[in-house]
Amino acid sequence: MRGPAAASCPPTPPTTAYRLIANKHILTNILRGEWVYEYLVTSDAGATNRLCDAFHMCVWEPIHMEAVTLDALLAGNDLPESTVGTAVSWLLRAKFTVGLFEHPYLAVPVNQTAEHIHAPAHVESIVLLENHNGILSLDPATNVAVIGPLADGYMNYGDYVVYKSRHHGVTPLASIQNASTGTAVIDTSVPTVVVYSSGKTISEPQISNSSAALVQQFYPSEQGGNALADVLYGTANQRGKLSVSVPYPPGTLLIHYNNLTSGRATNPGTITFKDTLVLGQQYVLSTLQPLHEFGYGLLYSNVSLDRTSVANSNVVTATVSVRNEGQMHGQEVVAGVRAGRD
């Protein structure tokens, strides 16, 4: 969000980190000065209170709201009338840009909210991590058992949500019951499809290796169950990719997509399912390599990429042929990685 791009971007307010709530250099000099951002900035939940209780910048118990406002707006400086006008202009500019004064009531009818929430991007945020023997997508007639603490009863929205909102939404069980014509079955010989429902990545190599399929669904919306069913049953395009790398164990962090290479081969160590120790070089029982790397995500289609040409000048231009060789419709994300010196 630098330069002219920041000035022309949609007025979706960024949220400051807790420790930046009163940092005038970053919020004003850099964000609004260097990056030319012209709209409002919101604070994270409880960030203004922390100016008093954690950073001791004002009176606490009862909280001194005037001091909180002064410190948050001006990073501790006085509050002249021109500053109030500037702050108000950021808010009004955002409202004018999105047309709130011409059309103040933009909410869709209640009976249309589901279709607006359950949009293609909702499905594309789900990442297919493993699909051994092509177990997914499921046939609607397949008998299934939906098991787990997040299968039904409440939605896993994470924290920072409206009170009791977890009791409202489409759960995985409800959506699968709607999508499937089969019956529930519990049998240890039946292939298991594991769905991670989380806000952060989960590192479980044994689950990745032993489950029939593995799906990562980050915190969903109210229609999260329907998005999951679309992926499991292949009724929507599946092309989600990881925006972070997943380590084997947390002990091997930090794992970056652009780590500098030493040119040496990685010799991983592990514990097999028969409790045999395979000793590694960099880590005795682990590896430097990620379990699932940045940009990883499987498709139901078999897509091939062929490099056709690369023009290397001041601007590198790559032309790539993308071919769908599978039986299902699919879309692939083509990612390029530059290696070498700056």
Side-chain angles (χ1 to χ4, degrees):
M1 195 168 62
R2 292 179 179 272
S8 61
C9 71
T12 301
T15 300
T16 62
Y18 286 118
R19 65 183 62 189
L20 297 182
I21 183 64
N23 192 314
K24 184 179 180 181
H25 175 65
I26 291 179
L27 297 182
T28 298
N29 298 348
I30 294 179
L31 179 63
R32 305 184 188 283
E34 295 181 19
W35 294 2
V36 202
Y37 179 73
E38 300 178 325
Y39 305 105
L40 70 154
V41 174
T42 63
S43 63
D44 205 343
T48 51
N49 291 357
R50 295 188 183 196
L51 292 176
C52 290
D53 63 356
F55 302 120
H56 308 291
M57 297 173 66
C58 54
V59 178
W60 178 249
E61 290 184 351
I63 190 169
H64 192 321
M65 298 304 298
E66 181 181 357
V68 169
T69 303
L70 292 175
D71 289 332
L73 286 179
L74 276 184
N77 296 322
D78 292 333
L79 188 63
E81 183 177 349
S82 61
T83 300
V84 177
T86 300
V88 172
S89 71
W90 297 333
L91 178 61
L92 293 180
R93 184 178 291 112
K95 291 185 175 183
F96 276 116
T97 302
V98 299
L100 282 181
F101 289 98
E102 294 81 5
H103 306 285
Y105 304 104
L106 298 178
V108 299
V110 175
N111 60 352
Q112 297 180 17
T113 55
E115 62 185 84
H116 284 268
I117 296 173
H118 188 41
H122 193 204
V123 177
E124 293 166 7
S125 65
I126 299 176
V127 185
L128 180 61
L129 299 178
E130 304 287 352
N131 194 19
H132 303 299
N133 300 320
I135 190 69
L136 294 179
S137 59
L138 297 175
D139 187 319
T142 302
N143 295 331
V144 296
V146 184
I147 304 170
L150 302 179
D152 198 33
Y154 63 91
M155 299 291 295
N156 184 28
Y157 296 133
D159 50 9
Y160 295 94
V161 295
V162 177
Y163 180 59
K164 291 187 177 181
S165 60
R166 66 177 184 173
H167 300 296
H168 303 277
V170 182
T171 65
L173 176 61
S175 62
I176 290 174
Q177 286 176 327
N178 185 58
S180 174
T181 60
T183 58
V185 58
I186 300 177
D187 189 329
T188 55
S189 64
V190 173
T192 302
V193 176
V194 176
V195 178
Y196 289 152
S197 177
S198 62
K200 302 178 177 66
T201 57
I202 297 176
S203 177
E204 290 287 354
Q206 290 191 335
I207 292 179
S208 297
N209 295 329
S210 61
S211 60
L214 179 61
V215 176
Q216 172 67 62
Q217 182 178 32
F218 295 103
Y219 287 150
S221 74
E222 297 95 325
Q223 294 293 312
N226 285 332
L228 178 62
D230 284 346
V231 170
L232 296 179
Y233 288 93
T235 56
N237 180 47
Q238 167 57 34
R239 61 168 181 170
K241 304 293 182 184
L242 286 177
S243 58
V244 294
S245 295
V246 182
Y248 272 86
T252 60
L253 292 171
L254 300 167
I255 290 180
H256 302 289
Y257 73 94
N258 59 348
N259 272 346
L260 296 177
T261 176
S262 65
R264 300 180 64 182
T266 299
N267 182 20
T270 187
I271 302 177
T272 68
F273 288 109
K274 295 182 179 180
D275 293 330
T276 300
L277 301 183
V278 179
L279 303 184
Q281 183 176 5
Q282 288 83 3
Y283 290 95
V284 175
L285 293 175
S286 189
T287 176
L288 290 171
Q289 298 301 317
L291 178 61
H292 297 109
E293 67 273 10
F294 170 85
Y296 177 83
L298 300 177
L299 303 174
Y300 288 148
S301 262
N302 182 20
V303 175
S304 64
L305 305 178
D306 295 320
R307 188 185 74 177
T308 57
S309 65
V310 176
N312 190 2
S313 59
N314 291 334
V315 177
V316 177
T317 303
T319 303
V320 180
S321 294
V322 182
R323 181 180 297 105
N324 186 354
E325 299 176 345
Q327 300 299 315
M328 297 182 64
H329 172 73
Q331 292 178 312
E332 178 63 296
V333 177
V334 179
V337 178
R338 180 180 65 85
R341 298 179 180 177
D342 292 331

